Amino acid sequence: MRHRSVADLMTPTAIAVQPGTPFKEIARLLDEYGITAMPVVDAENRPVGVVSEADLLRRHTAKDGPSTAEAMMSSPAVTARPSWTAVEAARHMERNRVKRLPVVDADGRLIGVLSRSDLIQLFLRRDRAIQEEIVEDVVTRILRLSPASLHVDVAEGRVTLTGTLPRRSMTPIFVRLCEDVDGVVEVVDRLTYEDQPGAADA
């Protein structure tokens, strides 16, 4: 299985500002591009923080101190790497309580931005594509089972598994592999088994 990566999902053309960018220019860019936050980068295009609409509102309400990106931004910047999976990025967002991640290359330079809305695209994946990946990758390639003995039904990202497995002990593995497929929201197990209840696994 190939999980979609941050590189697949990010917005590659990142709108960024310099530490000295003034309040009004930041507000103009946020409005022009329809975004709620943007990275603040140094002279070498390395993220040093993130400035958001909330930061601007706080500064406007306080009405004191300098109104530059450097003075208002959240720092240090919480970043992601393009090779990360979507799951890794989502966990990193949750752990750091941020809504977007500047994406940096091996030298720490900005190459894109990943937002929560980008991650949501995973759950808009077509049911047919999810079904094909489970049958071809999980059932056939990984578990080495015959697709004829199992049925995979996918509706709105909800996967229902029916059919017969050789052993009951394979169930948690099968379910977990299905849950790991991009776009899967839930897995319903309606499987039966060749080994009888109470019998030792072969």
Side-chain angles (χ1 to χ4, degrees):
M1 294 186 297
R2 178 187 177 276
H3 288 292
R4 294 173 74 186
S5 67
V6 167
D8 296 328
L9 298 168
M10 72 181 188
T11 301
T13 306
I15 306 302
V17 293
Q18 300 288 325
T21 304
F23 183 103
K24 285 191 175 181
E25 177 64 8
I26 296 168
R28 185 189 69 78
L29 289 170
L30 291 175
D31 178 66
E32 179 180 345
Y33 290 97
I35 53 180
T36 59
M38 67 181 78
V40 181
V41 297
D42 63 17
E44 296 184 337
N45 204 37
R46 293 187 171 94
V48 294
V50 173
V51 63
S52 68
E53 288 179 333
D55 295 324
L56 267 64
L57 289 172
R58 278 194 292 270
R59 179 61 61 178
H60 180 71
T61 302
K63 296 185 182 300
D64 62 348
S67 296
T68 62
E70 185 174 25
M72 295 183 289
M73 69 184 183
S74 301
S75 181
V78 179
T79 62
R81 291 299 179 93
S83 60
W84 287 6
T85 66
V87 173
E88 287 176 303
R91 287 175 178 166
H92 196 55
M93 278 187 187
E94 183 66 23
R95 187 163 52 246
N96 290 279
R97 299 189 178 187
V98 295
K99 297 179 180 179
R100 66 190 63 240
L101 297 168
V103 183
V104 297
D105 62 17
D107 295 320
R109 291 185 172 86
L110 183 69
I111 58 173
V113 172
L114 181 77
S115 68
R116 282 183 178 176
S117 60
D118 295 324
L119 291 174
I120 288 173
Q121 295 301 313
L122 285 179
F123 299 103
L124 300 179
R125 191 180 182 198
R126 292 185 304 111
D127 291 337
R128 180 68 176 173
I130 295 171
Q131 181 188 45
E132 288 175 353
E133 182 172 341
I134 292 174
V135 172
E136 294 172 9
D137 283 358
V138 176
V139 175
T140 305
R141 186 174 63 84
I142 298 175
L143 297 179
R144 298 185 181 278
L145 297 172
S146 169
S149 63
L150 298 164
H151 181 69
V152 178
D153 182 67
V154 184
E156 299 295 323
R158 186 174 186 263
V159 177
T160 302
L161 303 175
T162 55
T164 304
L165 286 175
R167 297 180 299 279
R168 182 184 292 270
S169 60
M170 296 181 70
T171 304
I173 300 170
F174 189 15
V175 170
R176 186 171 67 251
L177 288 169
C178 291
E179 289 173 339
D180 285 343
V181 171
D182 288 340
V184 171
V185 175
E186 180 186 6
V187 177
V188 179
D189 168 18
R190 293 179 180 165
L191 296 162
T192 56
Y193 319 96
E194 291 178 7
D195 56 346
Q196 296 301 313
D201 286 345

